[in-house]
Amino acid sequence: MKRPLYVVGSGAVTAAGLDARQTLAAIRASLSAFEEMTLAEPFGAVQIVSRIPTHHQLRRTQGKWLVNMAARAAKEAFRTGARASEATAILLTPPESFRKHPAYEDIAPPEFLAAVIKATGQRFHAGSRAVDGGAAASIGLLERAREIMERQGVEQVLLGGVDSLVNDTDLARLEQAGRLKGEDNAQGLVPGEAAAFVRLTLNPEGGSPVHATIHGVGVSEEKDSVLSDRYSQGRALLAALHDAVRGSGPSESDIDFVVSNSNGERYSGLEQLIARPRFYRTRRERLPTAYPAMTIGDIGAAGGALALMLAADSFLNDYAPGPTVACELSSENGLRAAAVMARMTKR
């Protein structure tokens, strides 16, 4: 990146907390938001999920449910600052289109962002966009966030995602592929749901002596995705990590820990096993890694912003294992992304 971005605020709604503070506290404490849910198909079957507790009326349709989640998290992130909404752009990643998410039966993908903005009750900058591609696509949008702030008069960007794998369509396809965690599959994913946003600026805010900054971004496409019949050799993740440390920012040897959206599947475990030793070549006694999915399950497209939010919070509240982190993000369709963040101290 030509210049760093500052993470100056966040907002979230997850099964572990109805705001960013609760969610981050639950992840830090290694709590579990998992529960058993009885399925309608096959009738009576039980599946482990990470589901946001809420009144059934808020779940009348999947479309309205996702829009309400996204609007709630975006408003929380927006309220952490004092800039006008007209000078704020939203960059959003909704559920990937290939999944045929039931939310799109209510709201067509081109209309999804407009529905979220309407639900916030604010008027945001015309540079706002929704981009297909899952959690890794959020990281890819960091370069766009920098560009629209430099060239289009945007003062801040709300970068985020919203998703729910707790629906009949996703549960059926994941079950058919043998990817769900259960009694017969210890190395499966736990379907989750969430909305998460981070507020980005080009300059630090407030009088705090500590700031969380994003210095490098890398994005690559994995041909052997989890949807294929082959295991990943980690080529795309490796390429994304190399791109993220290319430039004047932190290098591989500076990285102290990792935040990953790995979901516990055998596929992602093997990908990391192959890719990481080929990138993290500097000798380390250990490489601490945070896996938010251990608390809130696989939250799909919301995972990118949540990883940035967790990394930033660890710097600002002084519980990070070190001053530099690599965020590793994977999307179902094969997109891989990495972002290198650092703790900056104001002198």
Side-chain angles (χ1 to χ4, degrees):
M1 296 180 71
K2 295 181 180 179
R3 61 185 296 185
L5 292 174
Y6 291 79
V7 181
V8 294
S10 62
V13 53
T14 71
L18 298 182
D19 58 26
R21 183 179 179 183
Q22 292 176 4
T23 295
L24 291 165
I27 294 172
R28 183 180 178 185
S30 300
L31 301 182
S32 172
F34 297 172
E35 63 177 44
E36 291 185 342
M37 184 178 78
T38 303
L39 304 180
E41 184 62 38
F43 181 75
V46 175
Q47 175 59 48
I48 301 172
V49 300
S50 182
R51 196 172 190 231
I52 297 173
T54 186
H55 196 279
H56 68 87
Q57 289 185 347
L58 295 177
R59 294 180 182 268
R60 288 180 179 176
T61 69
Q62 281 286 326
K64 290 182 178 179
W65 172 235
L66 262 62
V67 165
N68 288 336
M69 277 200 296
R72 179 182 179 123
K75 286 191 291 184
E76 181 189 356
F78 177 69
R79 288 195 298 265
T80 61
R83 308 195 186 204
S85 61
E86 291 82 358
T88 303
I90 292 181
L91 298 181
L92 174 69
T93 49
E96 300 98 316
S97 58
F98 81 87
R99 288 162 48 195
K100 302 186 186 303
H101 197 284
Y104 296 141
E105 297 175 5
D106 309 315
I107 304 170
E111 300 170 1
F112 193 85
L113 177 60
V116 171
I117 292 176
K118 182 179 179 181
T120 65
Q122 302 287 342
R123 295 180 61 185
F124 289 98
H125 193 275
S128 299
R129 294 288 185 273
V131 176
D132 199 359
S138 284
I139 304 303
L141 286 170
L142 287 169
E143 285 286 2
R144 178 172 177 80
R146 178 187 60 79
E147 290 176 1
I148 63 176
M149 283 191 282
E150 289 180 339
R151 301 178 184 179
Q152 298 185 27
V154 172
E155 296 180 4
Q156 63 181 7
V157 169
L158 302 182
L159 176 90
V162 61
D163 207 342
S164 174
L165 276 72
V166 189
N167 64 78
D168 293 342
T169 302
D170 278 316
L171 290 173
R173 71 179 181 84
L174 293 170
E175 171 63 29
Q176 186 175 13
R179 296 174 56 196
L180 291 175
K181 181 178 179 62
E183 292 183 356
D184 299 327
N185 184 20
Q187 293 181 310
L189 68 86
V190 174
E193 57 185 6
F197 281 84
V198 289
R199 187 167 63 88
L200 306 172
T201 60
L202 292 176
N203 298 293
E205 287 185 353
S208 173
V210 177
H211 302 286
T213 56
I214 303 170
H215 289 268
V217 176
V219 180
S220 188
E221 187 75 30
E222 176 60 60
K223 294 182 180 179
D224 298 324
S225 74
V226 70
L227 303 174
S228 71
D229 57 359
R230 292 167 54 90
Y231 280 109
S232 167
Q233 300 301 303
R235 297 184 182 91
L237 179 58
L238 181 63
L241 285 165
H242 278 305
D243 286 345
V245 296
R246 187 172 288 122
S248 60
S251 63
E252 176 273 327
S253 61
D254 296 316
I255 295 172
D256 300 294
F257 67 108
V258 172
V259 177
S260 170
N261 75 329
S262 181
N263 59 11
E265 285 190 85
R266 181 180 292 104
Y267 171 91
S268 63
L270 291 174
E271 180 177 61
Q272 292 175 15
L273 185 65
I274 295 171
R276 284 186 176 174
R278 293 159 65 190
F279 175 73
Y280 299 102
R281 305 299 293 272
T282 302
R283 185 182 181 280
R284 296 170 171 85
E285 290 297 327
R286 62 192 182 100
L287 182 63
T289 304
Y291 296 105
M294 295 177 67
T295 292
I296 56 177
D298 189 331
I299 56 173
L306 188 106
L308 299 177
M309 182 176 77
L310 178 59
D313 185 72
S314 71
F315 293 140
L316 299 176
N317 289 293
D318 199 26
Y319 62 89
T324 308
V325 61
C327 296
E328 301 175 358
L329 282 304
S330 300
S331 297
E332 267 197 90
N333 62 358
L335 197 64
R336 301 290 183 267
V340 173
M341 298 179 61
R343 179 183 188 269
M344 289 187 65
T345 303
K346 187 176 180 180
R347 296 179 180 177

